[in-house]
Amino acid sequence: MTISTFRLRGTLVAFGVLLACMLPASPAGAHGVDPYLVPVLHAVDPNPPGVVVQVRTTAGEQMLASNNQLMPLEVLDPAGTPFLRLSRDGTFGNVTDPFFHRTLNPPDVPVRLPADAVAGAAPRWTRVDPQGNWGWFEPRLHPVPPGVDWRVDMRFESQPVVVTGALEHPATTGSFLAQPARRTDGVQVDIAQGRPPAMLLVAPGRRVVVSGTGGVPFLRLDADGVFANPPTAEFGQNPDWVARPVGPDGWVRVGAPGRVTWLDSRLGYPDRQPPAVVERMHRTMELTHWQIPMTVDGHPTALRGTLSWVPAGTPLPTRSAGSGTPRLPLVCGAAVLAGAFLLVRRSRRAHVAPSTPSTA
């Protein structure tokens, strides 16, 4: 090892404490003592042609809507004011509506409202996506107290559209387990199971660049700190980074030199459950290998590992001796691992892209 056992242990404990806040903690805060409730859609009444509405759980409860019609679908805030418009012409956000800004990040992330975003202000519509589909963190999907059905009002061609559902416990038959491969270059890695899983990378004194989807640089570790690249999809999976200031080079400083923790859907499975044939076998099975390209001191390499399915009640597989990778003492323990079944497809990065205000 390139760092002492004591220092590594301290780093990993800190990682576990951080994950206690990063992973299922957001839903837990909304759902009281039960972090494993997920929103379930019951009805879209009426359901206009060309309109699709879905719900899912990522870093928080999200609603997704698409509309391929020329007539816009309007999503209303709790006061009945439209804050989203989706149509064939694209997605527009009412940037003077405070509720619009609250939907860009999970509920536990502090909101920085523009000065002109006040209740009752005249609407100003800004195109936020060229397509007529959008995903947003919808606070109404986790009503308090839990058990109360949720409701989101919309409007299509002046006709009210009511979307209803509830928070429920999905059937749990097991969990996904992401594990890193052994390394021999002194870079330390570990993974905490979650939705999506979180990666810890420890590389003091090294210059590391981790690639995002499509090979675009996502993370940079050097002597000045840890920096993340906002345009990458992986940046959007880490909502606590979104509100941080962007540096002159376009990157966001997200940590001190030598170590970084981030959520990354590339470590997980693109669905809540494995293939049916795997579930029926009721035994631990390796599903796939994952790989995240990176460079260490300018030399190409990759973060590699496996993703397995572990049926409920089955002992977790252990790493082989001499892997060179520390076992993470997760603060959340089995509760975090049990939450792995909640992994869903990568969420759209929920923040407003720079654009010129336009009227719709």
Side-chain angles (χ1 to χ4, degrees):
M1 292 187 180
T2 59
I3 56 179
S4 67
T5 302
F6 176 80
R7 183 177 178 184
L8 179 59
R9 183 178 302 162
T11 300
L12 293 175
V13 170
F15 178 46
V17 172
L18 178 61
L19 286 170
C21 301
M22 289 179 64
L23 294 175
S26 290
H31 303 154
V33 296
D34 193 339
Y36 303 119
L37 289 168
V38 296
V40 176
L41 179 66
H42 287 170
V44 180
D45 186 24
N47 198 154
V51 171
V52 177
V53 179
Q54 298 175 312
V55 293
R56 65 183 179 184
T57 301
T58 54
E61 290 81 3
Q62 283 189 296
M63 179 166 282
L64 302 93
S66 65
N67 175 25
N68 62 14
Q69 302 297 306
L70 187 60
M71 179 65 65
L73 173 72
E74 296 184 321
V75 185
L76 311 183
D77 68 15
T81 300
F83 73 94
L84 281 175
R85 284 180 177 170
L86 301 91
S87 73
R88 193 183 304 167
D89 291 333
T91 299
F92 294 79
N94 179 5
V95 296
T96 59
D97 188 335
F99 190 76
F100 169 75
H101 298 277
R102 295 190 181 103
T103 67
L104 300 181
N105 295 311
D108 293 340
V109 176
V111 178
R112 297 182 181 181
L113 294 177
D116 59 349
V118 294
R124 189 169 81 251
W125 294 96
T126 297
R127 186 192 297 269
V128 295
D129 195 279
Q131 305 298 319
N133 52 74
W134 188 250
W136 67 98
F137 293 98
E138 176 54 74
R140 289 168 287 188
L141 296 187
H142 47 260
V144 178
V148 177
D149 288 356
W150 52 260
R151 168 175 172 159
V152 174
D153 288 299
M154 302 183 180
R155 192 162 57 208
F156 187 80
E157 290 189 282
S158 302
Q159 180 181 33
V161 176
V162 180
V163 183
T164 56
L167 289 171
E168 299 179 2
H169 287 96
T172 305
T173 60
S175 57
F176 295 102
L177 178 66
Q179 292 182 294
R182 62 178 300 171
R183 300 196 66 86
T184 59
D185 58 0
V187 174
Q188 303 291 324
V189 297
D190 213 327
I191 297 172
Q193 315 309 314
R195 47 169 201 193
M199 172 73 78
L200 165 69
L201 187 151
V202 182
R206 316 292 291 273
R207 178 178 174 83
V208 178
V209 177
V210 180
S211 295
T213 302
V216 178
F218 159 52
L219 283 173
R220 184 181 78 234
L221 291 77
D222 56 31
D224 296 323
V226 180
F227 301 85
N229 189 11
T232 56
E234 288 71 25
F235 183 92
Q237 295 170 22
N238 294 268
D240 57 321
W241 295 351
V242 173
R244 300 190 184 191
V246 178
D249 63 351
W251 289 58
V252 174
R253 192 176 194 274
V254 297
R259 66 177 67 90
V260 63
T261 302
W262 75 95
L263 302 173
D264 199 317
S265 63
R266 292 174 292 180
L267 306 175
Y269 195 69
D271 209 342
R272 295 185 179 185
Q273 298 295 117
V277 63
V278 173
E279 279 193 287
R280 288 195 296 267
M281 296 181 73
H282 197 70
R283 63 184 178 87
T284 299
M285 293 190 65
E286 186 176 292
L287 298 176
T288 186
H289 290 253
W290 51 263
Q291 176 173 302
I292 299 175
M294 68 175 184
T295 62
V296 177
D297 297 331
H299 300 292
T301 180
L303 296 166
R304 295 184 175 89
T306 60
L307 181 68
S308 301
W309 172 251
V310 183
T314 303
L316 296 180
T318 57
R319 295 195 181 106
S320 59
S323 68
T325 305
R327 190 61 180 168
L328 177 67
L330 281 175
V331 170
C332 297
V336 173
L337 183 59
F341 74 92
L342 294 174
L343 176 70
V344 295
R345 290 180 175 86
R346 184 185 70 212
S347 64
R348 170 194 300 272
R349 180 160 58 92
H351 79 280
V352 180
S355 58
T356 302
S358 57
T359 303

